Amino acid sequence: MNTYIIEFIKKTTGNSEEGSLVFIESNKHVDFEIKRVYYTYSARNGIIRGFHAHKRLEQVLICVYGKIEVTCDDGKEKKTFILDDPSKGLYIGSGIWRTMKWLKDDSVLLVLASDYYNEEDYIRDYDTFLKYIK
Ligand code: TYD
């Protein structure tokens, strides 16, 4: 399945109270040019979003606060990832059905995307998805 975890470079000062900094550059720390950034927030524990696949879009999902479970499905197998570390991202290639479940109130999901928003790129019906990837 075309999904994998990316470990970003994390800068710390040595004083844990001062926190950490992560930076992400196009074609360097992610394997595509970042054309769009969006984030989902203020969702309650237990909420599930997503329920779609993309025909061409590539994305990297980062839980910058909280804990989110992401399930990826390529029509043959399913993989589940727990995102709870802001220094890691989940790459999701095209043609993968995904759901994102909030495991903590107010978790924030930051998404880096390879293209501008285009509803035509979405497949929002699971049976249509299964036919599309065959
Ligand atoms: P959607 O991608 O379905 O969100 P999720 O997978 O988290 O449930 O998007 C929700 C709505 O927002 C939908 O009407 C499309 C719209 N939207 C945009 O207009 N621009 C964007 O960049 C994104 C990601 C969504």
Side-chain angles (χ1 to χ4, degrees):
M1 191 185 299
N2 196 11
T3 58
Y4 52 85
I5 293 287
I6 304 169
E7 290 196 28
F8 300 116
I9 298 168
K10 183 166 71 176
K11 292 278 181 184
T12 51
T13 60
N15 176 353
S16 62
E17 291 185 4
E18 290 178 359
S20 303
L21 179 150
V22 167
F23 51 93
I24 303 165
E25 297 181 8
S26 287
N27 298 313
K28 207 165 162 186
H29 307 110
V30 296
D31 287 336
F32 55 79
E33 186 186 351
I34 300 164
K35 287 196 178 167
R36 178 167 51 113
V37 174
Y38 63 91
Y39 44 91
T40 314
Y41 63 101
S42 287
R44 298 283 106 192
N45 183 16
I47 287 294
I48 307 178
R49 301 184 57 116
F51 301 102
H52 66 256
H54 287 282
K55 295 174 191 165
R56 301 173 72 90
L57 191 74
E58 299 170 85
Q59 292 170 306
V60 171
L61 279 55
I62 304 158
C63 180
V64 291
Y65 172 78
K67 190 171 182 179
I68 296 170
E69 179 189 86
V70 182
T71 300
C72 296
D73 174 355
D74 66 0
K76 294 192 192 105
E77 58 168 335
K78 286 184 187 177
K79 275 191 186 171
T80 296
F81 300 88
I82 299 289
L83 302 184
D84 61 358
D85 180 344
S87 72
K88 290 181 183 163
L90 174 64
Y91 171 84
I92 304 182
S94 57
I96 293 178
W97 187 267
R98 85 289 309 274
T99 54
M100 297 83 74
K101 182 176 183 186
W102 262 241
L103 298 183
K104 180 177 176 165
D105 283 350
D106 296 321
S107 299
V108 180
L109 185 66
L110 177 73
V111 181
L112 315 176
S114 65
D115 212 341
Y116 305 115
Y117 172 71
N118 174 14
E119 188 60 36
E120 299 284 299
D121 187 67
Y122 280 76
I123 305 170
R124 293 192 182 273
D125 175 74
Y126 191 70
D127 288 335
T128 307
F129 162 69
L130 291 178
K131 284 183 196 134
Y132 179 83
I133 50 160
K134 269 191 184 157

